[in-house]
Amino acid sequence: MSLDIFRGMTIAAMMLVNNAGGFPEVYAPLKHASWHGWTFTDTVFPFFLWICGVAMTLSFARRVESGADRGKLLLHSLRRGAMIFGLGLLLNGFPYYNLATIRIPGVLQRIGLCYFLGAVVFLYTSRRMQAWITAGCLFGYWALMAWVPVPGCGAGSLERECNLQQYVDGMFLSGHMYSATKTWDPEGIVSTIPAVATILFGILTGHLLRAAIPALEKLSWMFFTGNVLLFAGLFWDKALPINKNIWTSSYAVFMAGMALVVFACCYWLADYKGWKQWGKPFAIYGSNAIAVYVLAGLIARIIGMLGWRRPIYEGLLTFAAPVHASLLYGLLHVTLLYLIALALYRKGWFLKV
């Protein structure tokens, strides 16, 4: 129950931050950090990847233990990852689908790719090796960013327009990157490496949840490990700044720690104490997470195409200051999408990919 609640909380937050921007004034936590640093908004994506890792362990471990064929599970993961990646492309191109300029990376694309790579690691390695691969992704990415020289920048540059991530994206994704950045992509190629570590942190947490130890002991380990990772991320920030745009290793560690602490709170309330009713709306919200995300993107695009976005916002301005109107606009999206998720839940329609 706690994982369902945490997933729903994350999706609700994602709907809010994705639809509160674009206006003259927005609450600072509802905007991404401009470069180094982090805000509330920067916690959402890594939380969702981390949740995918936890859910993968809880789902696949039972099947593997019951004798399921690992090859078939891998094929299932490939198919699911490809479908999520395809949904991302569908959303990026809507409604014109200009293949010459369509953005290839994206949030769903990164989820699909990391899901598949995480499944490969889970299915064919031991828990100990999974921990080593997580560390390898983190330190390997740091080494790449620090030591690989970039033409015109040298080695170790983390400037917005002068770093290895930006250089590789320019080589392979020119013309197919995020329209707001153009010369690099926040879900680019090289930064997928530490993003895989994020999903592996979730996989390792899933092993802890399945361990044959008392719930209180699991809680203690989650709070302890989460805080260790938080402090490790802050310490690493001194050498490698926390940065969501290039998904630095310090960012991956810090956000994994925060995800553990927040999830531990949900676990303590819902699964340990048995107080579940407060989280039921969030569990409903997260029951069709990918479907809600895709619908949110389509609705936002359609509202923009019809020219309704500005009139709605200006209507809200009649009884709220600009910064409050922007928040209310985002909350309208959150409410509308919750009603859709609730309708799907009541009909028993759970859209799987």
PDB file of all heavy atoms in Angstrom, residues 45-67:
ATOM      1  N   PHE A  45      10.903  13.432 -10.944  1.00  0.00           N
ATOM      2  CA  PHE A  45      11.330  12.423 -11.909  1.00  0.00           C
ATOM      3  C   PHE A  45      12.165  11.314 -11.265  1.00  0.00           C
ATOM      4  O   PHE A  45      11.899  10.121 -11.480  1.00  0.00           O
ATOM      5  CB  PHE A  45      12.065  13.102 -13.061  1.00  0.00           C
ATOM      6  CG  PHE A  45      12.304  12.218 -14.264  1.00  0.00           C
ATOM      7  CD1 PHE A  45      11.753  10.942 -14.353  1.00  0.00           C
ATOM      8  CD2 PHE A  45      13.076  12.666 -15.325  1.00  0.00           C
ATOM      9  CE1 PHE A  45      11.967  10.134 -15.471  1.00  0.00           C
ATOM     10  CE2 PHE A  45      13.298  11.870 -16.439  1.00  0.00           C
ATOM     11  CZ  PHE A  45      12.749  10.596 -16.497  1.00  0.00           C
ATOM     12  N   PRO A  46      13.194  11.638 -10.468  1.00  0.00           N
ATOM     13  CA  PRO A  46      13.953  10.540  -9.843  1.00  0.00           C
ATOM     14  C   PRO A  46      13.116   9.697  -8.896  1.00  0.00           C
ATOM     15  O   PRO A  46      13.343   8.488  -8.776  1.00  0.00           O
ATOM     16  CB  PRO A  46      15.085  11.265  -9.109  1.00  0.00           C
ATOM     17  CG  PRO A  46      14.636  12.674  -8.969  1.00  0.00           C
ATOM     18  CD  PRO A  46      13.787  12.947 -10.175  1.00  0.00           C
ATOM     19  N   PHE A  47      12.133  10.312  -8.223  1.00  0.00           N
ATOM     20  CA  PHE A  47      11.242   9.530  -7.375  1.00  0.00           C
ATOM     21  C   PHE A  47      10.521   8.467  -8.211  1.00  0.00           C
ATOM     22  O   PHE A  47      10.400   7.310  -7.809  1.00  0.00           O
ATOM     23  CB  PHE A  47      10.206  10.435  -6.700  1.00  0.00           C
ATOM     24  CG  PHE A  47      10.698  11.111  -5.455  1.00  0.00           C
ATOM     25  CD1 PHE A  47      12.054  11.208  -5.169  1.00  0.00           C
ATOM     26  CD2 PHE A  47       9.795  11.681  -4.558  1.00  0.00           C
ATOM     27  CE1 PHE A  47      12.506  11.852  -4.020  1.00  0.00           C
ATOM     28  CE2 PHE A  47      10.238  12.323  -3.409  1.00  0.00           C
ATOM     29  CZ  PHE A  47      11.592  12.397  -3.138  1.00  0.00           C
ATOM     30  N   PHE A  48      10.034   8.860  -9.385  1.00  0.00           N
ATOM     31  CA  PHE A  48       9.271   7.907 -10.205  1.00  0.00           C
ATOM     32  C   PHE A  48      10.174   6.782 -10.702  1.00  0.00           C
ATOM     33  O   PHE A  48       9.770   5.613 -10.705  1.00  0.00           O
ATOM     34  CB  PHE A  48       8.606   8.621 -11.383  1.00  0.00           C
ATOM     35  CG  PHE A  48       7.567   7.775 -12.054  1.00  0.00           C
ATOM     36  CD1 PHE A  48       6.295   7.644 -11.519  1.00  0.00           C
ATOM     37  CD2 PHE A  48       7.863   7.073 -13.215  1.00  0.00           C
ATOM     38  CE1 PHE A  48       5.344   6.838 -12.110  1.00  0.00           C
ATOM     39  CE2 PHE A  48       6.918   6.263 -13.826  1.00  0.00           C
ATOM     40  CZ  PHE A  48       5.644   6.150 -13.278  1.00  0.00           C
ATOM     41  N   LEU A  49      11.394   7.112 -11.126  1.00  0.00           N
ATOM     42  CA  LEU A  49      12.328   6.065 -11.552  1.00  0.00           C
ATOM     43  C   LEU A  49      12.641   5.120 -10.395  1.00  0.00           C
ATOM     44  O   LEU A  49      12.699   3.891 -10.568  1.00  0.00           O
ATOM     45  CB  LEU A  49      13.620   6.700 -12.060  1.00  0.00           C
ATOM     46  CG  LEU A  49      13.732   7.028 -13.545  1.00  0.00           C
ATOM     47  CD1 LEU A  49      15.114   7.588 -13.856  1.00  0.00           C
ATOM     48  CD2 LEU A  49      13.446   5.813 -14.407  1.00  0.00           C
ATOM     49  N   TRP A  50      12.855   5.675  -9.217  1.00  0.00           N
ATOM     50  CA  TRP A  50      13.145   4.871  -8.024  1.00  0.00           C
ATOM     51  C   TRP A  50      11.977   3.928  -7.733  1.00  0.00           C
ATOM     52  O   TRP A  50      12.180   2.748  -7.424  1.00  0.00           O
ATOM     53  CB  TRP A  50      13.395   5.813  -6.856  1.00  0.00           C
ATOM     54  CG  TRP A  50      13.808   5.181  -5.576  1.00  0.00           C
ATOM     55  CD1 TRP A  50      15.056   4.895  -5.143  1.00  0.00           C
ATOM     56  CD2 TRP A  50      12.924   4.754  -4.507  1.00  0.00           C
ATOM     57  NE1 TRP A  50      15.036   4.336  -3.897  1.00  0.00           N
ATOM     58  CE2 TRP A  50      13.732   4.235  -3.476  1.00  0.00           C
ATOM     59  CE3 TRP A  50      11.549   4.779  -4.332  1.00  0.00           C
ATOM     60  CZ2 TRP A  50      13.214   3.734  -2.300  1.00  0.00           C
ATOM     61  CZ3 TRP A  50      11.012   4.274  -3.151  1.00  0.00           C
ATOM     62  CH2 TRP A  50      11.843   3.752  -2.149  1.00  0.00           C
ATOM     63  N   ILE A  51      10.757   4.434  -7.845  1.00  0.00           N
ATOM     64  CA  ILE A  51       9.554   3.615  -7.619  1.00  0.00           C
ATOM     65  C   ILE A  51       9.497   2.462  -8.618  1.00  0.00           C
ATOM     66  O   ILE A  51       9.143   1.338  -8.271  1.00  0.00           O
ATOM     67  CB  ILE A  51       8.290   4.497  -7.719  1.00  0.00           C
ATOM     68  CG1 ILE A  51       8.207   5.441  -6.518  1.00  0.00           C
ATOM     69  CG2 ILE A  51       7.025   3.646  -7.818  1.00  0.00           C
ATOM     70  CD1 ILE A  51       7.203   6.570  -6.697  1.00  0.00           C
ATOM     71  N   CYS A  52       9.847   2.735  -9.889  1.00  0.00           N
ATOM     72  CA  CYS A  52       9.874   1.678 -10.903  1.00  0.00           C
ATOM     73  C   CYS A  52      10.807   0.551 -10.479  1.00  0.00           C
ATOM     74  O   CYS A  52      10.508  -0.633 -10.677  1.00  0.00           O
ATOM     75  CB  CYS A  52      10.326   2.239 -12.251  1.00  0.00           C
ATOM     76  SG  CYS A  52       9.109   3.283 -13.075  1.00  0.00           S
ATOM     77  N   GLY A  53      11.946   0.906  -9.892  1.00  0.00           N
ATOM     78  CA  GLY A  53      12.893  -0.106  -9.437  1.00  0.00           C
ATOM     79  C   GLY A  53      12.335  -0.953  -8.302  1.00  0.00           C
ATOM     80  O   GLY A  53      12.468  -2.186  -8.302  1.00  0.00           O
ATOM     81  N   VAL A  54      11.702  -0.305  -7.330  1.00  0.00           N
ATOM     82  CA  VAL A  54      11.101  -1.047  -6.212  1.00  0.00           C
ATOM     83  C   VAL A  54      10.037  -2.010  -6.735  1.00  0.00           C
ATOM     84  O   VAL A  54      10.009  -3.192  -6.379  1.00  0.00           O
ATOM     85  CB  VAL A  54      10.483  -0.081  -5.180  1.00  0.00           C
ATOM     86  CG1 VAL A  54       9.819  -0.884  -4.054  1.00  0.00           C
ATOM     87  CG2 VAL A  54      11.543   0.848  -4.600  1.00  0.00           C
ATOM     88  N   ALA A  55       9.158  -1.491  -7.595  1.00  0.00           N
ATOM     89  CA  ALA A  55       8.067  -2.311  -8.136  1.00  0.00           C
ATOM     90  C   ALA A  55       8.604  -3.482  -8.953  1.00  0.00           C
ATOM     91  O   ALA A  55       8.033  -4.586  -8.926  1.00  0.00           O
ATOM     92  CB  ALA A  55       7.145  -1.443  -8.994  1.00  0.00           C
ATOM     93  N   MET A  56       9.704  -3.262  -9.668  1.00  0.00           N
ATOM     94  CA  MET A  56      10.300  -4.340 -10.465  1.00  0.00           C
ATOM     95  C   MET A  56      10.740  -5.492  -9.581  1.00  0.00           C
ATOM     96  O   MET A  56      10.475  -6.663  -9.880  1.00  0.00           O
ATOM     97  CB  MET A  56      11.485  -3.796 -11.260  1.00  0.00           C
ATOM     98  CG  MET A  56      12.117  -4.825 -12.188  1.00  0.00           C
ATOM     99  SD  MET A  56      13.628  -4.214 -12.957  1.00  0.00           S
ATOM    100  CE  MET A  56      13.006  -2.800 -13.854  1.00  0.00           C
ATOM    101  N   THR A  57      11.404  -5.179  -8.479  1.00  0.00           N
ATOM    102  CA  THR A  57      11.845  -6.233  -7.569  1.00  0.00           C
ATOM    103  C   THR A  57      10.658  -6.994  -7.001  1.00  0.00           C
ATOM    104  O   THR A  57      10.652  -8.231  -6.973  1.00  0.00           O
ATOM    105  CB  THR A  57      12.679  -5.639  -6.416  1.00  0.00           C
ATOM    106  OG1 THR A  57      13.784  -4.925  -6.953  1.00  0.00           O
ATOM    107  CG2 THR A  57      13.197  -6.732  -5.502  1.00  0.00           C
ATOM    108  N   LEU A  58       9.646  -6.271  -6.545  1.00  0.00           N
ATOM    109  CA  LEU A  58       8.485  -6.923  -5.942  1.00  0.00           C
ATOM    110  C   LEU A  58       7.756  -7.800  -6.954  1.00  0.00           C
ATOM    111  O   LEU A  58       7.173  -8.826  -6.602  1.00  0.00           O
ATOM    112  CB  LEU A  58       7.523  -5.866  -5.381  1.00  0.00           C
ATOM    113  CG  LEU A  58       8.085  -4.969  -4.274  1.00  0.00           C
ATOM    114  CD1 LEU A  58       7.010  -3.994  -3.793  1.00  0.00           C
ATOM    115  CD2 LEU A  58       8.613  -5.788  -3.110  1.00  0.00           C
ATOM    116  N   SER A  59       7.776  -7.412  -8.223  1.00  0.00           N
ATOM    117  CA  SER A  59       7.086  -8.168  -9.268  1.00  0.00           C
ATOM    118  C   SER A  59       7.923  -9.337  -9.790  1.00  0.00           C
ATOM    119  O   SER A  59       7.461 -10.471  -9.842  1.00  0.00           O
ATOM    120  CB  SER A  59       6.722  -7.228 -10.427  1.00  0.00           C
ATOM    121  OG  SER A  59       6.181  -7.948 -11.507  1.00  0.00           O
ATOM    122  N   PHE A  60       9.165  -9.064 -10.163  1.00  0.00           N
ATOM    123  CA  PHE A  60       9.986 -10.082 -10.808  1.00  0.00           C
ATOM    124  C   PHE A  60      10.516 -11.129  -9.850  1.00  0.00           C
ATOM    125  O   PHE A  60      10.679 -12.293 -10.234  1.00  0.00           O
ATOM    126  CB  PHE A  60      11.162  -9.420 -11.526  1.00  0.00           C
ATOM    127  CG  PHE A  60      10.801  -8.823 -12.860  1.00  0.00           C
ATOM    128  CD1 PHE A  60       9.486  -8.762 -13.291  1.00  0.00           C
ATOM    129  CD2 PHE A  60      11.787  -8.324 -13.692  1.00  0.00           C
ATOM    130  CE1 PHE A  60       9.151  -8.203 -14.520  1.00  0.00           C
ATOM    131  CE2 PHE A  60      11.475  -7.769 -14.927  1.00  0.00           C
ATOM    132  CZ  PHE A  60      10.150  -7.709 -15.336  1.00  0.00           C
ATOM    133  N   ALA A  61      10.830 -10.748  -8.628  1.00  0.00           N
ATOM    134  CA  ALA A  61      11.442 -11.700  -7.689  1.00  0.00           C
ATOM    135  C   ALA A  61      10.537 -12.896  -7.455  1.00  0.00           C
ATOM    136  O   ALA A  61      11.008 -14.048  -7.426  1.00  0.00           O
ATOM    137  CB  ALA A  61      11.765 -10.999  -6.370  1.00  0.00           C
ATOM    138  N   ARG A  62       9.248 -12.647  -7.287  1.00  0.00           N
ATOM    139  CA  ARG A  62       8.302 -13.752  -7.067  1.00  0.00           C
ATOM    140  C   ARG A  62       8.272 -14.687  -8.276  1.00  0.00           C
ATOM    141  O   ARG A  62       8.199 -15.901  -8.132  1.00  0.00           O
ATOM    142  CB  ARG A  62       6.907 -13.202  -6.774  1.00  0.00           C
ATOM    143  CG  ARG A  62       6.756 -12.569  -5.410  1.00  0.00           C
ATOM    144  CD  ARG A  62       5.284 -12.351  -5.067  1.00  0.00           C
ATOM    145  NE  ARG A  62       4.651 -11.393  -5.980  1.00  0.00           N
ATOM    146  CZ  ARG A  62       4.585 -10.090  -5.761  1.00  0.00           C
ATOM    147  NH1 ARG A  62       5.122  -9.578  -4.662  1.00  0.00           N
ATOM    148  NH2 ARG A  62       3.974  -9.284  -6.618  1.00  0.00           N
ATOM    149  N   ARG A  63       8.300 -14.103  -9.465  1.00  0.00           N
ATOM    150  CA  ARG A  63       8.243 -14.930 -10.677  1.00  0.00           C
ATOM    151  C   ARG A  63       9.509 -15.758 -10.838  1.00  0.00           C
ATOM    152  O   ARG A  63       9.452 -16.938 -11.211  1.00  0.00           O
ATOM    153  CB  ARG A  63       8.050 -14.032 -11.907  1.00  0.00           C
ATOM    154  CG  ARG A  63       6.784 -13.196 -11.875  1.00  0.00           C
ATOM    155  CD  ARG A  63       6.598 -12.450 -13.176  1.00  0.00           C
ATOM    156  NE  ARG A  63       5.781 -11.259 -12.995  1.00  0.00           N
ATOM    157  CZ  ARG A  63       5.441 -10.445 -13.978  1.00  0.00           C
ATOM    158  NH1 ARG A  63       5.848 -10.683 -15.213  1.00  0.00           N
ATOM    159  NH2 ARG A  63       4.696  -9.368 -13.741  1.00  0.00           N
ATOM    160  N   VAL A  64      10.654 -15.136 -10.576  1.00  0.00           N
ATOM    161  CA  VAL A  64      11.916 -15.861 -10.692  1.00  0.00           C
ATOM    162  C   VAL A  64      11.960 -17.004  -9.687  1.00  0.00           C
ATOM    163  O   VAL A  64      12.375 -18.133 -10.007  1.00  0.00           O
ATOM    164  CB  VAL A  64      13.112 -14.902 -10.478  1.00  0.00           C
ATOM    165  CG1 VAL A  64      14.410 -15.689 -10.361  1.00  0.00           C
ATOM    166  CG2 VAL A  64      13.206 -13.902 -11.632  1.00  0.00           C
ATOM    167  N   GLU A  65      11.521 -16.742  -8.462  1.00  0.00           N
ATOM    168  CA  GLU A  65      11.540 -17.776  -7.418  1.00  0.00           C
ATOM    169  C   GLU A  65      10.578 -18.916  -7.737  1.00  0.00           C
ATOM    170  O   GLU A  65      10.792 -20.052  -7.302  1.00  0.00           O
ATOM    171  CB  GLU A  65      11.194 -17.148  -6.077  1.00  0.00           C
ATOM    172  CG  GLU A  65      12.296 -16.235  -5.531  1.00  0.00           C
ATOM    173  CD  GLU A  65      11.861 -15.411  -4.333  1.00  0.00           C
ATOM    174  OE1 GLU A  65      10.662 -15.481  -3.957  1.00  0.00           O
ATOM    175  OE2 GLU A  65      12.697 -14.685  -3.784  1.00  0.00           O
ATOM    176  N   SER A  66       9.516 -18.626  -8.494  1.00  0.00           N
ATOM    177  CA  SER A  66       8.561 -19.678  -8.849  1.00  0.00           C
ATOM    178  C   SER A  66       8.974 -20.415 -10.121  1.00  0.00           C
ATOM    179  O   SER A  66       8.222 -21.262 -10.613  1.00  0.00           O
ATOM    180  CB  SER A  66       7.157 -19.081  -9.025  1.00  0.00           C
ATOM    181  OG  SER A  66       7.138 -18.159 -10.107  1.00  0.00           O
ATOM    182  N   GLY A  67      10.147 -20.087 -10.655  1.00  0.00           N
ATOM    183  CA  GLY A  67      10.663 -20.822 -11.799  1.00  0.00           C
ATOM    184  C   GLY A  67      10.389 -20.208 -13.146  1.00  0.00           C
ATOM    185  O   GLY A  67      10.562 -20.866 -14.184  1.00  0.00           O
TER     186      GLY A  67
END
